Amino acid sequence: MANMQKTCRQCQTQFEITDEDLNFYDKISPVFAGKKYLIPPPTLCPDCRQQRRLAQGNQIYLYHRKCDFSGKEIISNYHPASLYKVYDQNIWYSDKWDPLKHGRDFDFSRSFFEQWHELSLAVPKPSLQRGFQYDENSDYTNYAGKNKNCYLIFDSDENRDCYYSYSLNGSESCMECYRCRKNELCYECIDSNKCYNCAFIQDSENCIDSLFLKNCVGCKNCIMSSNLRNKEYFIRNKKVSRENFQEYRYRLQSNIELQKAFKEFQQMKLKYPQKYTHGVLNEDVLGDYLTSCKNSFFCFDSANLWDCKYVFQAFNPLKSSMDIQECGDGELLYESAFCGYDAFNLKFSILTLGAASELIYSSHCHHSSNLFGCVGMQRKKYCIFNKQYTEKDYEKLAGQIVEHMMKTGEWGEFFPMKFATFAYNTSLAQQYYPLSKEEVEKSELNWHEEDKMNHYEGPMIKIPDNIQDIDVEIIKKILTCEACGKNYKIIPQELKLYRQLKLPIARKCFNCRHQARYVQRNPRKLWQRTCAKCQSPIQTSYAPERPEIVYCEKCYLNEVY
């Protein structure tokens, strides 16, 4: 059978459905009352499918609001004006409320998604996605767990004394980092691991006391360099004396000098070749930022994948899964987002963590199995729309609902973006697929307009240029972002780290800093190019029009070793 060519019903681009894809859909198709209900091929292209899943997650926007159960003031990623009921995590995970009380019959005269959305509005949501029972003094975190003394870190686990970071794991005393692991005393690091006392480094490993590095390994006391291996006292890829290094390093305590160095670094990186992909220990893979993966295609920002396709940001081993956003420690997952930890055979489900299996179109359901269209269930089995059934009645009704969804064109589709839990511009979709307010409203999606009534409108605070001139009184000031004009503050722990790192304090708010780090990474797309040295064909996340010098793996390794 030849591969199937389809046209995306949203963006009209062409995409392909392979025989392997069809075999996967057949493998995961559910059986109810002895009858198999085939999952049809998707109607959206991979990009539009990813956008739809990303719209279900808000990781970095936090708000003060009241718990709808106790009235207590809490921190949540649900805005106070949200239509959803929100319970403090301690209450949501307790037995103080019963999700079965929201159970309802399925109405075959109406669409599935409309009824599911009504159920989702009725069932309370946890205030945050956080392992709060394992955290210590880390209330302002989300999609995170096992952290101590951390503030505004997201998608991050097992950190201590870390701030303003995304996807940071196993690190200590770090700030402003993006997708880093096992670092200590690091600042503004991207995709770098096992580094100490480093700042502004990217795609580097095992480096110490260094700044402005790209693709460096095992370096110490190096600045403004790329593609170095096991070097010490290098500036601009040239050996320097210890005194010259210390002189340059001293100047970087000034914000003016630091910004000059940052601009120079962006240009310097272009002079040195880049490997066509980021990753190690992979076998038969296609994608970028992959580690220890096998037989996985069009996957990004993941590790320990096996027989996967269209997987993004998997956080733990994942097998035989497709169309996934941030799921891990599972097998046979399809069109699901933010699920994992001993997950098996989940389809069209979101925000489900902990020993879940055989879930279809469900959200926030933990330690449960055989659920269809449920919300907020814990340790339940054979439920549909939060209503309990016997196994026999469950299978009969589930089959009838699938047949109804086939008629309405809903079966096999993920939750529509118009029913997403969060406003589009506060969701992850806005970062990867940005839309204007007009585009969002034209598409009948939700947009959150920030309330500016309570914004500080006092005098602008002039921040001293050098960290040595910053007084402790700065922590009492309300600062204004030089990029977007929003207010932000410097917390005491943050100031302490700036002084320890001998670096000037931030002049922009967290959101602008986070976005600036994000744009330094390659997009989740692949292009056909040729190696700039040997002309061999490569498939890479560096677009052909970009200025970087891109090598195949063999030529890159010959260059740096």
Side-chain angles (χ1 to χ4, degrees):
M1 183 185 296
N3 291 343
M4 182 188 304
Q5 298 295 322
K6 299 197 70 174
T7 301
C8 176
R9 63 177 171 82
Q10 179 168 294
C11 70
Q12 310 307 310
T13 60
Q14 297 291 310
F15 67 100
E16 185 178 71
I17 302 294
T18 67
D19 290 347
E20 290 79 9
D21 296 341
L22 294 174
N23 290 335
F24 176 78
Y25 303 142
D26 178 74
K27 183 178 181 179
I28 64 169
S29 294
V31 176
F32 296 123
K35 181 179 178 181
K36 189 172 190 175
Y37 293 89
L38 290 175
I39 291 177
T43 61
L44 297 182
C45 69
D47 266 345
C48 289
R49 300 200 301 268
Q50 185 190 181
Q51 179 189 26
R52 191 168 54 178
R53 292 190 301 273
L54 288 167
Q56 293 290 345
N58 165 23
Q59 293 183 329
I60 68 172
Y61 290 94
L62 302 182
Y63 310 96
H64 288 283
R65 61 165 296 155
K66 293 187 182 298
C67 169
D68 287 310
F69 183 92
S70 65
K72 173 187 172 183
E73 192 76 20
I74 58 174
I75 302 156
S76 176
N77 60 336
Y78 290 86
H79 189 270
S82 170
L83 298 177
Y84 292 89
K85 294 180 181 178
V86 179
Y87 286 179
D88 181 73
Q89 293 177 98
N90 291 287
I91 293 172
W92 195 90
Y93 285 97
S94 73
D95 58 1
K96 295 181 179 180
W97 68 286
D98 185 1
L100 287 172
K101 289 186 177 180
H102 299 280
R104 58 200 64 193
D105 294 327
F106 185 78
D107 185 349
F108 287 92
S109 68
R110 302 175 60 207
S111 75
F112 172 88
F113 287 132
E114 287 179 349
Q115 295 180 71
W116 186 88
H117 181 57
E118 291 173 357
L119 176 65
S120 184
L121 286 170
V123 180
K125 302 289 187 293
S127 54
L128 292 167
Q129 297 297 318
R130 183 170 70 84
F132 66 98
Q133 64 271 49
Y134 307 110
D135 285 348
E136 182 179 341
N137 190 30
S138 299
D139 293 342
Y140 288 84
T141 64
N142 196 22
Y143 289 71
K146 299 182 180 179
N147 296 301
K148 182 178 180 179
N149 301 331
C150 293
Y151 178 73
L152 292 187
I153 66 170
F154 306 96
D155 185 46
S156 301
D157 296 322
E158 299 179 333
N159 302 290
R160 181 169 180 165
D161 301 313
C162 292
Y163 320 105
Y164 307 110
S165 296
Y166 183 83
S167 202
L168 178 68
N169 294 281
S171 296
E172 185 173 345
S173 300
C174 292
M175 282 196 307
E176 313 289 356
C177 292
Y178 197 119
R179 294 199 66 81
C180 292
R181 183 179 295 271
K182 296 183 179 179
N183 289 343
E184 185 176 351
L185 200 62
C186 286
Y187 177 76
E188 284 286 2
C189 296
I190 303 172
D191 292 293
S192 297
N193 304 317
K194 300 178 182 177
C195 296
Y196 176 81
N197 194 28
C198 292
F200 299 99
I201 66 173
Q202 186 172 4
D203 300 318
S204 297
E205 190 170 351
N206 289 318
C207 293
I208 299 174
D209 300 333
S210 298
L211 298 91
F212 296 110
L213 301 183
K214 182 75 174 1
N215 297 327
C216 291
V217 177
C219 294
K220 183 178 180 180
N221 294 313
C222 294
I223 299 178
M224 202 68 64
S225 297
S226 182
N227 291 344
L228 296 183
R229 297 294 183 270
N230 304 312
K231 302 296 184 183
E232 185 173 6
Y233 291 120
F234 270 63
I235 296 177
R236 299 184 181 92
N237 279 51
K238 294 181 180 180
K239 181 72 174 177
V240 298
S241 67
R242 182 172 180 268
E243 291 73 23
N244 286 341
F245 174 86
Q246 291 179 336
E247 180 186 352
Y248 193 167
R249 178 63 185 88
Y250 179 81
R251 295 207 309 266
L252 296 180
Q253 296 181 97
S254 156
N255 182 62
I256 293 174
E257 292 297 326
L258 188 73
Q259 295 309 312
K260 287 180 181 178
F262 182 82
K263 291 179 181 178
E264 180 185 350
F265 182 55
Q266 304 312 308
Q267 294 302 311
M268 182 278 298
K269 292 187 294 185
L270 301 178
K271 299 178 182 179
Y272 298 91
Q274 308 293 316
K275 190 170 76 168
Y276 78 105
T277 186
H278 304 83
V280 294
L281 304 175
N282 296 311
E283 180 181 345
D284 196 19
V285 303
L286 188 62
D288 206 5
Y289 297 103
L290 299 176
T291 302
S292 301
C293 297
K294 182 177 181 180
N295 194 32
S296 297
F297 301 94
F298 298 101
C299 298
F300 295 80
D301 298 318
S302 299
N304 301 301
L305 302 180
W306 194 305
D307 298 328
C308 291
K309 193 171 186 179
Y310 304 125
V311 172
F312 305 92
Q313 214 161 316
F315 52 77
N316 270 326
L318 188 64
K319 295 182 179 179
S320 302
S321 298
M322 185 184 295
D323 283 305
I324 297 301
Q325 173 62 39
E326 207 159 331
C327 298
D329 192 10
E331 185 173 357
L332 292 179
L333 276 56
Y334 176 60
E335 274 283 23
S336 294
F338 317 111
C339 300
Y341 302 122
D342 196 19
F344 179 77
N345 204 11
L346 308 186
K347 294 176 279 290
F348 317 107
S349 293
I350 55 177
L351 294 160
T352 290
L353 300 169
S357 62
E358 309 293 343
L359 304 189
I360 304 177
Y361 289 109
S362 296
S363 76
H364 297 86
C365 294
H366 311 311
H367 304 281
S368 299
S369 64
N370 301 94
L371 304 181
F372 196 127
C374 289
V375 180
M377 305 290 272
Q378 299 188 66
R379 294 175 172 81
K380 296 293 187 292
K381 193 172 185 178
Y382 300 122
C383 297
I384 297 176
F385 274 60
N386 284 37
K387 188 173 180 179
Q388 185 69 63
Y389 293 89
T390 65
E391 180 180 358
K392 182 178 179 181
D393 289 342
Y394 169 85
E395 295 217 347
K396 180 182 178 181
L397 180 57
Q400 292 172 341
I401 293 175
V402 172
E403 290 175 357
H404 174 74
M405 295 178 72
M406 288 177 174
K407 294 176 183 177
T408 61
E410 297 171 294
W411 177 241
E413 297 292 334
F414 190 70
F415 301 107
M417 285 197 293
K418 69 177 181 179
F419 293 143
T421 310
F422 302 100
Y424 188 90
N425 59 315
T426 65
S427 75
L428 288 167
Q430 179 69 353
Q431 185 170 76
Y432 291 91
Y433 302 93
L435 298 176
S436 66
K437 180 180 179 182
E438 292 72 24
E439 290 171 323
V440 167
E441 292 176 343
K442 184 179 179 180
S443 301
E444 298 182 341
L445 307 179
N446 294 319
W447 180 275
H448 171 65
E449 197 69 54
E450 187 172 347
D451 181 13
K452 298 181 180 179
M453 292 294 292
N454 296 321
H455 279 199
Y456 174 75
E457 296 182 355
M460 294 283 287
I461 304 298
K462 185 176 180 180
I463 303 172
D465 176 66
N466 198 297
I467 185 61
Q468 295 183 353
D469 299 324
I470 300 289
D471 189 87
V472 70
E473 291 296 309
I474 195 73
I475 65 175
K476 301 177 182 179
K477 309 291 186 181
I478 297 177
L479 308 180
T480 302
C481 175
E482 64 182 22
C484 71
K486 291 182 180 179
N487 300 139
Y488 71 102
K489 293 196 72 174
I490 302 295
I491 62 174
Q493 304 94 314
E494 180 182 2
L495 179 61
K496 180 181 177 182
L497 264 181
Y498 281 126
R499 287 173 167 170
Q500 191 173 355
L501 290 161
K502 296 182 174 61
L503 291 170
I505 68 172
R507 265 65 174 175
K508 297 178 182 179
C509 68
F510 167 72
N511 285 341
C512 288
R513 301 190 313 256
H514 174 72
Q515 183 64 20
R517 287 187 288 275
Y518 162 74
V519 299
Q520 292 185 63
R521 303 181 79 242
N522 287 12
R524 293 174 175 176
K525 294 179 181 293
L526 296 174
W527 288 269
Q528 298 288 345
R529 288 183 65 153
T530 58
C531 171
K533 190 169 187 179
C534 73
Q535 307 306 311
S536 297
I538 52 177
Q539 206 162 357
T540 177
S541 58
Y542 290 95
E545 65 272 14
R546 285 179 58 162
E548 289 92 348
I549 304 166
V550 182
Y551 282 5
C552 68
E553 185 163 14
K554 181 180 179 180
C555 291
Y556 180 81
L557 294 177
N558 288 337
E559 178 79 17
V560 300
Y561 288 103

